[in-house]
Amino acid sequence: MEPDSLPTEIILTHPRQSLGNVKLDWTPQPGNYLDLEGKTYAVLERRHRYHLRSGRYRLHKVAIYVQSAPRPSEKSLVAGRWVIGDASCRYNAHSELIRCAVNPEGPCDRCRFYELHPEA
């Protein structure tokens, strides 16, 4: 299967419904954002679907589970991956999905709990 024609089913997690099937030219990973029909979704999970053909399993399509979310305005590069918010803060989760426990909605620059991480 060519990487530029990966059949992908987009499934909204809440309320659970299929948003349709598309062919993507990139591999969606949890933490990525996807724009579809004028709306932005955060990718939460990816599942592969296989078919048995000629005695071998072959990738048939991918299902990604998403939720509606705005793209984060703050991102930091940590160990080669993008995380939400200011990674130098002690409370940053270093996650693509959640900023931190004390101020998950952000922004980091005006957070009263900001504290420089001792290892930063």
Side-chain angles (χ1 to χ4, degrees):
M1 181 167 302
E2 300 169 14
D4 62 347
S5 63
L6 186 64
T8 305
E9 181 179 11
I10 314 296
I11 302 168
L12 187 63
T13 57
H14 186 75
R16 183 78 156 233
Q17 69 181 39
S18 177
L19 298 177
N21 293 293
V22 296
K23 289 191 176 186
L24 299 177
D25 60 354
W26 59 287
T27 305
Q29 301 287 340
N32 291 149
Y33 289 84
L34 171 75
D35 293 319
L36 183 68
E37 297 176 358
K39 295 183 181 176
T40 301
Y41 300 94
V43 177
L44 303 177
E45 184 178 344
R46 182 183 74 205
R47 294 184 185 172
H48 296 158
R49 309 283 168 101
Y50 294 89
H51 276 178
L52 182 62
R53 297 241 170 110
S54 303
R56 295 182 60 180
Y57 284 102
R58 298 188 187 264
L59 181 62
H60 174 65
K61 72 176 183 178
V62 173
I64 59 173
Y65 294 81
V66 300
Q67 75 178 16
S68 182
R71 284 188 187 268
S73 58
E74 300 172 294
K75 292 194 287 187
S76 301
L77 189 59
V78 175
R81 64 187 178 96
W82 289 100
V83 299
I84 298 174
D86 184 349
S88 67
C89 178
R90 155 179 248 128
Y91 301 109
N92 187 280
H94 290 204
S95 166
E96 300 93 344
L97 300 174
I98 187 168
R99 179 186 312 270
C100 71
V102 296
N103 187 16
E105 298 300 317
C108 295
D109 63 351
R110 293 186 299 269
C111 179
R112 67 185 179 132
F113 297 104
Y114 176 85
E115 190 176 315
L116 187 62
H117 196 280
E119 298 169 7

